[in-house]
């Protein structure tokens, strides 16, 4: 039975992004995409509750099924809930932003977290603090919410969404050692800011590279 790399998304827009990246990095790996927009909708409405964490767990277990070797959750808001499922299964569940967080902490001690959704800020901060503690490195984390951007995303105005984020980055660029784009959907905003003097990290490529590595390890076992 051929094992799959499974993606759990909270927006269908991510399917094309990760298919494109996988085509560059590891086109031979079979994949399956699962989308559940209600998970993010509930997180925005109620925060991460025990009930939502259980729903995420159920969704992860169902999506992995019999054929899933590794899962990558591409939503930073629920990523911690998804990642925790690994503790109860032999299969690997990764959150897309962990590799980005590890690189951010390695690059600098003053990290600017940029998000278009307020619900993403706390999970990203928590992840960065966890990574910094593991590295025994003190960090300062500033948060920047691009409040006007998400409405454009929801309308399908991808160009407007990215330009709104880029405008926020330009206003805040000089205030940290490294900028972290907290949501996978924000990644292409970095292409509009290549002239800024600080590194701008996004999660899709880094997260997928980690998932590919985990998948290849699982295939050797």
């Amino acid at each position: 039975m051929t094992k799959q790399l499974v993606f759990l998304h909270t927006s269908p827009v991510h399917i094309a992004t990760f298919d494109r990246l996988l085509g560059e990095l590891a086109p031979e790996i079979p994949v399956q995409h699962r989308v559940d927009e209600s998970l993010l909708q509930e997180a925005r409405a109620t925060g991460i509750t025990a009930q939502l964490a259980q729903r995420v767990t159920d969704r992860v277990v169902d999506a992995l099924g019999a054929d899933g070797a590794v899962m990558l959750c591409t939503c930073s808001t629920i990523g911690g809930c998804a990642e925790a499922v690994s503790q109860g299964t032999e299969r690997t569940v990764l959150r897309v932003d962990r590799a980005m967080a590890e690189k951010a902490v390695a690059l600098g001690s003053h990290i600017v977290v940029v998000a278009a959704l307020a619900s993403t800020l706390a999970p990203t901060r928590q992840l960065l603090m966890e990574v910094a503690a593991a590295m025994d490195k003190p960090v300062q984390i500033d948060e920047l919410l691009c409040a006007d951007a998400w409405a454009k995303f929801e309308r399908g105005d991808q160009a407007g969404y990215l330009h709104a984020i880029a405008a926020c980055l330009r206003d805040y660029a000089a205030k940290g050692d490294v900028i972290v784009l907290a949501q996978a959907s924000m990644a292409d905003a970095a292409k509009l800011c290549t002239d800024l003097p600080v590194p701008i990290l996004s999660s899709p490529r880094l997260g997928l590279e980690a998932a590919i590595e985990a998948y290849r390890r699982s295939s050797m076992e």
Side-chain angles (χ1 to χ4, degrees), residues 69-207:
V70 174
M71 171 176 280
L72 181 65
C73 177
T74 65
C75 176
S76 298
T77 299
I78 64 163
C81 297
E83 186 182 54
V85 180
S86 281
Q87 298 170 10
T89 177
E90 295 179 354
R91 285 173 285 184
T92 301
V93 182
L94 302 175
R95 57 188 293 171
V96 73
D97 50 353
R98 179 169 290 279
M100 176 181 67
E102 291 170 347
K103 185 170 183 178
V105 173
L107 283 175
S109 57
H110 187 179
I111 302 168
V112 178
V113 176
V114 185
L117 274 178
S119 62
T120 308
L121 290 172
T124 305
R125 171 183 281 274
Q126 182 178 1
L127 174 62
L128 287 164
M129 296 301 293
E130 174 191 322
V131 169
M135 292 185 181
D136 195 23
K137 181 177 181 178
V139 294
Q140 175 185 341
I141 299 173
D142 290 346
E143 297 174 351
L144 175 62
L145 180 64
C146 301
D148 298 332
W150 192 250
K152 300 180 191 302
F153 179 86
E154 291 185 314
R155 291 198 302 268
D157 180 8
Q158 186 71 3
Y161 173 61
L162 296 175
H163 278 89
I165 293 164
C168 287
L169 296 182
R170 292 188 177 283
D171 289 341
Y172 221 80
K175 298 187 179 181
D177 300 325
V178 57
I179 293 173
V180 164
L181 301 181
Q183 294 161 243
S185 59
M186 306 171 77
D188 284 345
K191 297 176 182 178
L192 304 175
C193 301
T194 55
D195 57 315
L196 295 185
V198 294
I200 301 172
L201 303 184
S202 59
S203 60
R205 180 178 289 272
L206 293 170

